[in-house]
């Protein structure tokens, strides 16, 4: 799981946009929020969750499978798409996403910790990371962890071919894996910047903390 490149101003973004369209002239782009949480990689085999790991150094992560199984938002068994039940589920599906604690649930968690005489968490990201890395999954189960997928890695699924990230999101939703409701497919550079400007104006209104936009 590689790191993302950064662009900090409009001109950096324009140069990146132009490079993309040199290689893929008519490409659409998908814009979404960059959730400030903990990146995890989920592996499903024949529809069953068999492994979950943190990003680690990008190649080797920490095995957190027992803890991830306690997160209600992450299905341990995939469901066939109700619109196409004959398609079944993938033989192999690697889902990448972010574990986080929403802002409202973070405030509730800290209030509960203070009432128990314990130190509150400094921010939602630390609370999500600390909760997921508990040695005892029963402690993780008491924390209000959520999950949103932001991509796929390896997959093997008969004749299915996923050609667009937006298409992959639709497939993940149909299989029971949550994806963002804030993604937008755009075409022009002005569309990209318009999305970024909207997010900047609303950055404190989302259900989770963000640390940028991913294009």
């Amino acid at each position: 799981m590689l790191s993302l490149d950064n662009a900090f101003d409009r001109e950096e973004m324009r140069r990146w946009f132009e490079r993309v369209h040199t290689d893929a002239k008519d490409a659409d782009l998908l814009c979404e929020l960059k959730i400030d949480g903990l990146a995890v990689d989920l592996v499903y085999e024949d529809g069953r969750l068999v492994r979950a790991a943190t990003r680690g150094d990008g190649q080797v992560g920490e095995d957190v499978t027992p803890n991830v199984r306690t997160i209600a938002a992450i299905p341990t068994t995939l469901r066939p798409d109700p619109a196409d039940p004959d398609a079944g589920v993938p033989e192999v599906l690697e889902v990448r996403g972010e574990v986080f604690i929403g802002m409202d649930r973070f405030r509730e968690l800290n209030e509960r910790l203070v009432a128990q005489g314990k130190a509150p968490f400094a921010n939602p990201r630390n609370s999500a990371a600390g909760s997921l890395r508990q040695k005892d999954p029963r402690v993780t189960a008491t924390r209000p962890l959520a999950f949103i997928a932001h991509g796929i890695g390896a997959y093997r699924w008969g004749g299915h071919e996923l050609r667009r990230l937006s298409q992959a999101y639709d497939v993940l939703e149909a299989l029971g894996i949550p994806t963002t409701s804030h993604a937008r497919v755009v075409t022009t550079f002005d569309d990209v910047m318009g999305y970024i400007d909207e997010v900047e104006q609303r950055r404190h209104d989302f259900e989770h903390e963000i640390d940028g936009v991913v294009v």
Side-chain angles (χ1 to χ4, degrees):
M1 298 177 70
L2 303 179
S3 299
L4 299 174
D5 287 335
N6 292 317
F8 293 103
D9 59 41
R10 188 180 184 92
E11 284 312 305
E12 281 188 83
M13 199 69 216
R14 184 185 294 279
R15 288 195 293 271
W16 177 83
F17 182 90
E18 290 172 351
R19 288 200 304 274
V20 167
H21 282 77
T22 297
D23 295 330
K25 185 176 179 182
D26 299 319
D28 293 331
L29 298 171
L30 187 139
C31 302
E32 60 186 300
L33 307 177
K34 187 173 185 297
I35 302 169
D36 192 15
L38 186 70
V40 297
D41 187 275
L42 312 174
V43 178
Y44 290 86
E45 294 179 357
D46 295 322
R48 296 186 178 278
L49 178 66
V50 297
R51 188 162 55 257
T54 62
R55 178 183 177 278
D57 63 5
Q59 293 185 328
V60 178
E62 179 184 358
D63 190 329
V64 289
T65 308
N67 296 32
V68 161
R69 289 182 183 278
T70 71
I71 301 174
I74 297 178
T76 55
T77 304
L78 301 178
R79 68 189 183 205
D81 182 352
D84 189 12
D86 293 336
V89 296
E91 298 168 56
V92 175
L93 178 64
E94 179 189 359
V95 181
R96 296 169 176 188
E98 207 82 5
V99 170
F100 65 94
I101 294 180
M103 296 302 296
D104 290 343
R105 303 304 299 275
F106 172 68
R107 284 188 284 268
E108 293 171 2
L109 173 61
N110 268 353
E111 289 170 2
R112 189 167 75 242
L113 290 173
V114 170
Q116 295 170 352
K118 300 177 181 178
F121 285 106
N123 56 62
R125 189 187 190 286
N126 286 356
S127 65
S131 298
L132 191 61
R133 291 189 169 117
Q134 291 290 323
K135 293 191 182 338
D136 187 347
R138 291 173 297 182
V139 177
T140 303
T142 67
R143 304 288 171 80
L145 294 171
F147 174 82
I148 288 179
H150 55 54
I152 61 170
Y155 75 94
R156 187 168 68 248
W157 193 5
H160 285 69
E161 183 179 9
L162 302 178
R163 299 180 59 85
R164 295 163 64 93
L165 186 56
S166 56
Q167 176 199 5
Y169 284 178
D170 291 341
V171 168
L172 292 178
E173 282 282 349
L175 293 171
I177 297 170
T179 62
T180 179
S181 60
H182 302 293
R184 184 184 303 169
V185 176
V186 301
T187 303
T188 70
F189 178 73
D190 286 341
D191 290 339
V192 172
M193 295 310 302
Y195 181 91
I196 292 171
D197 290 342
E198 285 180 38
V199 170
E200 177 63 29
Q201 294 169 14
R202 296 182 52 210
R203 64 175 302 124
H204 299 298
D205 298 336
F206 298 110
E207 63 271 26
H208 49 67
E209 285 201 326
I210 65 170
D211 55 351
V213 164
V214 180
V215 183

